[in-house]
Amino acid sequence: MKKEFVVIGLGRFGGSIVRSLTEQGMEVMAIDQDEDKVNEFSSIASHAVVADSTDESVLKSLGIRNFDHVIVAIGDDIQSSVLTTLMLKEIGVKKITVKAQNDYHEKVLRKIGANQVVHPERDMGRRIAHNIISNNVLDYLELSDEHSIVEIVANDQLAGNTLIDLDIRAKYGINIVAIKRERDIIVSPQADEQIRAGDILIVIGADTDINRFEKKVFSL
């Protein structure tokens, strides 16, 4: 079954979520108070509605509680973001993800029941910083404040070694969970799998351990 989503706030962040979910075949209701923004997404989203999300009666009339997941992507208006989240919680929405402006905003959102809080600008900043520091890092996904999944390109120093030769788990406390090799992906590679130059290693672990591994291997 298709999951049904609501995105409230059609700025750059909310708009990109609407587009991504729609491209993946999901049912999406897009909501904003700005009629021009709603018109922009009327041909993209399943439904596009001009509405005040801080009005409980409006949310109820739209049947919001029947959707699987509501994303509150309201821009700079923290008060509207908080009130909308509160209303969604009170009418019984199952899952609520909210964009936070800062750490104080996040604390309030969590206290009133947001299931997930995201900081798109901060998180993207960290991701870009990580990528530009290391030429060998292709992608970086933060799992928590201290743990990440990183895609690392294998260099000549790693090539020819098997996973057991490198003994990465024992030495660095991280795990190679998959290897991308051209169009193939090897999930949970065996200990005798030999790494080739250009392989993309998908590594999971604590940020400090991943950084230690990068510094050691790529300074050789």
Side-chain angles (χ1 to χ4, degrees):
M1 286 177 63
K2 283 185 181 178
K3 283 196 171 182
E4 295 184 322
F5 295 85
V6 177
V7 177
I8 300 173
L10 300 177
R12 191 165 54 181
F13 175 64
S16 68
I17 290 178
V18 172
R19 287 190 176 92
S20 297
L21 290 171
T22 303
E23 284 167 6
Q24 293 174 60
M26 301 298 160
E27 293 283 325
V28 184
M29 177 186 283
I31 298 174
D32 200 288
Q33 284 187 288
D34 186 327
E35 189 173 350
D36 290 336
K37 287 181 179 175
V38 171
N39 289 337
E40 183 186 339
F41 285 90
S42 60
S43 60
I44 299 169
S46 313
H47 310 281
V49 183
V50 179
D52 177 2
S53 61
T54 64
D55 187 329
E56 187 174 355
S57 63
V58 169
L59 295 177
K60 284 181 176 177
S61 71
L62 292 171
I64 298 288
R65 75 183 301 272
N66 298 318
F67 285 76
D68 298 295
H69 193 157
V70 179
I71 298 98
V72 181
I74 294 170
D76 298 329
D77 190 341
I78 290 178
Q79 182 173 315
S80 290
S81 166
V82 170
L83 287 173
T84 297
T85 304
L86 196 58
M87 297 296 169
L88 293 170
K89 198 68 186 174
E90 286 185 355
I91 64 178
V93 172
K94 303 181 196 79
K95 186 167 185 184
I96 307 166
T97 294
V98 192
K99 172 188 174 181
Q101 297 294 354
N102 52 50
D103 291 338
Y104 297 109
H105 187 193
E106 176 177 0
K107 282 181 183 177
V108 173
L109 292 170
R110 292 199 182 279
K111 280 187 184 298
I112 62 176
N115 302 95
Q116 185 176 5
V117 179
V118 295
H119 296 258
E121 288 85 4
R122 183 196 71 184
D123 296 344
M124 184 54 72
R126 286 184 180 178
R127 192 171 184 172
I128 291 168
H130 198 97
N131 289 3
I132 60 179
I133 288 167
S134 173
N135 293 330
N136 296 91
V137 173
L138 289 185
D139 205 357
Y140 166 79
L141 175 64
E142 193 173 297
L143 297 176
S144 70
D145 287 341
E146 297 177 355
H147 292 79
S148 302
I149 295 177
V150 181
E151 289 188 353
I152 298 174
V153 182
N155 60 6
D156 291 335
Q157 280 78 15
L158 291 176
N161 289 290
T162 64
L163 297 184
I164 202 164
D165 291 335
L166 296 170
D167 203 14
I168 289 172
R169 186 185 297 177
K171 289 180 181 175
Y172 301 98
I174 60 178
N175 288 288
I176 295 175
V177 294
I179 299 172
K180 288 183 185 176
R181 181 172 293 152
E182 295 176 354
R183 294 187 178 182
D184 297 325
I185 182 161
I186 304 162
V187 179
S188 300
Q190 298 296 312
D192 59 357
E193 183 67 47
Q194 192 173 67
I195 294 171
R196 302 177 191 173
D199 280 353
I200 298 170
L201 311 179
I202 300 175
V203 177
I204 187 169
D207 293 338
T208 52
D209 294 331
I210 292 172
N211 290 340
R212 228 164 24 94
F213 171 67
E214 285 178 46
K215 284 176 183 174
K216 177 66 176 175
V217 171
F218 298 114
S219 62
L220 296 174

